[in-house]
Amino acid sequence: MKRVLVSGGAGYIGSHVTVELINAGYDVVVADNMSNCDLTCFEGVKKITGRDDIPFIEMDCCDDAAVADLFSKYRIDAVIHFAAFKAVGESVAEPVKYYRNNLDSFLNILEAAKTHGGCNVLFSSSATVYGETDKLPVTEESPRQPATSPYGNTKQICEDILRDVVKAAAGYDAMEPGADRKGVVKGIALRYFNPIGAHPSALIGELPRGVPNNLVPYITQTAIGKRECLSIFGNDYPTPDGTCLRDYIDVVDLAKAHVAAVGRMLDGKMEESYEIFNIGTGRPVSVLELVNAFEKVNGLKLNYRFAPRRAGDTTAIWADPMRANRELGWKAERTLEETLASAWAWEKHIAGK
Ligand code: WQD
């Protein structure tokens, strides 16, 4: 049975991906330093899958010895690398913390992957690499704009690192045709748009520490009474209702895209050694549309106000997901309403309601 290492696997997206990998028949090893989560989601993964034998290693991927030790203990066929800090605003205030953590952790994974027989690496990237653009929807060929935050820059740099590592491995392979393909790494970068929602079981979901930066957890915490009022950052944008447009992708749909990508790598279906896929719905939704949908599907009234724009926000971005639809055989399936209902069910679950 093929084994996948999920670094950052106790987190929001990592835990949903772990569930889908296990459902698809993979062995999974979860590594996480618990800097941005607790064990709630990992416990939920065990309940959902009925598996309490999932190896969990509490470790920091910035610790090269710990990463090497993990690879010496487990034969790893593919890595899905989530372990990174991801708060845009915090990255602006603390750039060194972000570059150190997000780059070192990835470099350690790549180093260990190469040393221990080579494997396939799936990198958790982000639509933030496209920056502000008015050429929408964005395809994988759309140019990356200069990053608007150190967080976004670490995503661009890690994509380039993976591309160069794969190119070097291909070069190695070309130099010595037929040689042992040890150390050859194939890579895929998945560029997510805006992941939202929770598992239908309401046993795993988003657990932001402190005040949520992202829209949907702020909405659900306002609805449950943890927050007083949602501020909609700007209603004077050049969009139909004045609020920003985003491509909100359900986290379970997103997790299934990872399973499709791992299968593509392990089943030798890749056409290039390094491939990029946009993982989105292809449907732009405004902040106000999302708020109205949340109220409607959950039968409640949300307390919100219009506030000034937030620095660094782009007006609009959404995906052209055609390549993922075609090459991965993957398509977003859950409706926005289903996703927002799952987000609300999760918030009520963690509030014990
Ligand atoms: C969405 C919209 C806000 C909060 C970022 C990262 C991306 C990924 C997802 C990590 C914007 C508005 C938000 C609030 C609001 N990061 N908003 N009130 O900024 O599109 O993307 O998070 O995985 O890489 O760039 O997501 O949810 O913060 O904002 O009005 O309280 O909601 O202005 O228009 P964003 P977001």
Side-chain angles (χ1 to χ4, degrees):
M1 196 182 281
K2 295 289 185 185
R3 181 180 289 119
V4 182
L5 166 63
V6 183
S7 75
Y12 172 41
I13 301 171
S15 54
H16 286 83
V17 168
T18 299
V19 165
E20 298 308 324
L21 286 168
I22 290 171
N23 289 346
Y26 290 100
D27 270 343
V28 177
V29 175
V30 172
D32 204 304
N33 69 357
M34 312 307 287
S35 65
N36 192 29
C37 63
D38 60 26
L39 280 171
T40 304
C41 284
F42 186 65
E43 292 307 320
V45 169
K46 294 196 282 188
K47 288 195 192 102
I48 294 166
T49 58
R51 296 276 300 274
D52 59 6
D53 61 342
I54 307 166
F56 172 78
I57 295 109
E58 185 169 352
M59 57 171 278
D60 190 334
C61 290
C62 290
D63 176 347
D64 57 348
V67 174
D69 183 51
L70 184 152
F71 273 79
S72 60
K73 278 208 180 89
Y74 297 93
R75 190 205 77 258
I76 302 295
D77 297 295
V79 178
I80 304 181
H81 184 64
F82 291 107
F85 295 149
K86 62 161 199 166
V88 174
E90 184 190 36
S91 77
V92 175
E94 299 194 58
V96 172
K97 173 182 172 183
Y98 270 68
Y99 286 113
R100 172 67 72 198
N101 182 72
N102 292 6
L103 301 186
D104 278 5
S105 57
F106 193 41
L107 289 167
N108 287 341
I109 290 284
L110 290 169
E111 195 100 70
K114 188 171 185 303
T115 311
H116 290 79
C119 73
N120 303 278
V121 175
L122 175 48
F123 175 64
S124 161
S125 191
S126 164
T128 199
V129 303
Y130 294 114
E132 179 83 51
T133 175
D134 55 9
K135 294 179 176 55
L136 295 165
V138 289
T139 69
E140 291 83 356
E141 277 71 46
S142 296
R144 295 183 323 187
Q145 303 294 334
T148 54
S149 71
Y151 156 79
N153 205 24
T154 65
K155 291 299 182 185
Q156 292 189 6
I157 295 168
C158 286
E159 284 191 357
D160 293 347
I161 290 171
L162 182 56
R163 178 205 59 206
D164 292 346
V165 163
V166 166
K167 202 185 288 181
Y172 165 83
D173 196 37
M175 274 184 305
E176 302 178 52
D180 167 17
R181 293 176 62 82
K182 190 178 168 75
V184 176
V185 168
K186 289 194 179 307
I188 289 181
L190 295 185
R191 291 174 178 167
Y192 316 154
F193 284 70
N194 286 64
I196 62 170
H199 192 267
S201 65
L203 290 172
I204 54 177
E206 199 165 1
L207 263 180
R209 285 185 182 235
V211 179
N213 294 302
N214 294 132
L215 176 63
V216 171
Y218 205 105
I219 287 176
T220 56
Q221 289 190 12
T222 302
I224 204 93
K226 273 177 83 171
R227 307 287 161 205
E228 183 58 37
C229 174
L230 168 74
S231 298
I232 295 182
F233 299 135
N235 65 332
D236 59 349
Y237 284 96
T239 61
D241 63 17
T243 63
C244 294
L245 294 167
R246 292 290 185 276
D247 185 330
Y248 294 97
I249 174 79
D250 179 275
V251 67
V252 174
D253 282 337
L254 176 63
K256 289 177 177 172
H258 287 72
V259 176
V262 165
R264 182 178 175 83
M265 293 199 283
L266 294 182
D267 300 345
K269 293 183 183 149
M270 292 177 72
E271 287 161 14
E272 306 290 335
S273 296
Y274 174 62
E275 296 178 338
I276 297 171
F277 295 97
N278 283 341
I279 303 300
T281 64
R283 188 163 49 86
V285 171
S286 77
V287 176
L288 197 52
E289 282 173 322
L290 189 144
V291 168
N292 292 337
F294 181 83
E295 290 181 319
K296 187 159 181 261
V297 74
N298 294 311
L300 49 79
K301 192 80 193 81
L302 196 72
N303 186 20
Y304 68 85
R305 69 186 180 98
F306 292 109
R309 295 182 177 189
R310 178 174 70 175
D313 275 339
T314 55
T315 303
I317 185 160
W318 67 92
D320 173 345
M322 285 305 290
R323 179 186 286 181
N325 301 161
R326 196 178 54 245
E327 307 289 338
L328 294 182
W330 169 88
K331 196 170 170 53
E333 290 165 358
R334 286 176 99 188
T335 65
L336 178 68
E337 290 69 21
E338 286 167 337
T339 303
L340 294 173
S342 72
W344 180 227
W346 163 248
E347 187 67 53
K348 288 188 287 187
H349 169 76
I350 50 179
K353 293 192 174 169

